[in-house]
Amino acid sequence: MNLLIINGPNLNMLGIREPEIYGRQDYSTLCTFIKAAAEEVGATCEIFQSNHEGAIVDKIQGALGRFDGIVINPAAYTHTSVAIADALSAIALPTVEVHLSDITQRETFRQHSFVAPIAKKTFMGKGFEGYRLAIRFLADNS
Ligand code: DQA
């Protein structure tokens, strides 16, 4: 199983960015964690991070025929991007949504996700562990 892991804007700032919400571990530590989680289930993965909506749409479109599933933390685009949701619908690969924080317990504007209706499952509020749960979910359900 080959998985595409997509991280949206500002997730490259982990460790620096609001550590009381997102923790003190940096982005490269998250990438190491994700690779280990994929290995645990015998999967391979590519990790992609971008601060640009169109780059994320392009990456999703290019996933068709190359990947068996997608784990996506769309970050702020969760709450704004019809384009990312449409791209996920278009390619129709099994997709799991992840958020480090529990977006249901935060500001009102974070409580709506355009990706949630397309995702097979959403893990939130579990920090890095959410990515492991998402990878395991795809391994068990694909
Ligand atoms: C986030 C939550 C979003 O509301 C926020 O814009 C992010 C990160 C999370 O992982 O908790 O950038 O997706």
Side-chain angles (χ1 to χ4, degrees), residues 20-81:
E20 65 288 357
I21 297 174
Y22 300 114
R24 296 195 181 275
Q25 301 192 89
D26 67 8
Y27 186 68
S28 73
T29 306
L30 175 61
C31 292
T32 303
F33 180 93
I34 290 169
K35 282 178 196 149
E39 270 176 32
E40 277 172 23
V41 297
T44 52
C45 72
E46 179 182 325
I47 305 170
F48 176 77
Q49 191 277 330
S50 179
N51 296 325
H52 304 279
E53 185 176 22
I56 294 171
V57 169
D58 287 345
K59 194 70 189 177
I60 294 168
Q61 290 182 6
L64 198 57
R66 290 191 57 216
F67 294 96
D68 305 302
I70 295 179
V71 174
I72 184 164
N73 182 347
Y77 290 139
T78 305
H79 321 297
T80 63
S81 182

Side-chain angles (χ1 to χ4, degrees), residues 9-11 17 21-22 73-79 98-103 106 109-110 131:
N10 301 306
L11 289 168
R17 173 190 189 203
I21 297 174
Y22 300 114
N73 182 347
Y77 290 139
T78 305
H79 321 297
V98 172
H99 299 285
L100 296 163
S101 64
D102 182 351
I103 59 174
R106 297 185 62 193
F109 71 87
R110 294 188 200 275
Y131 289 84

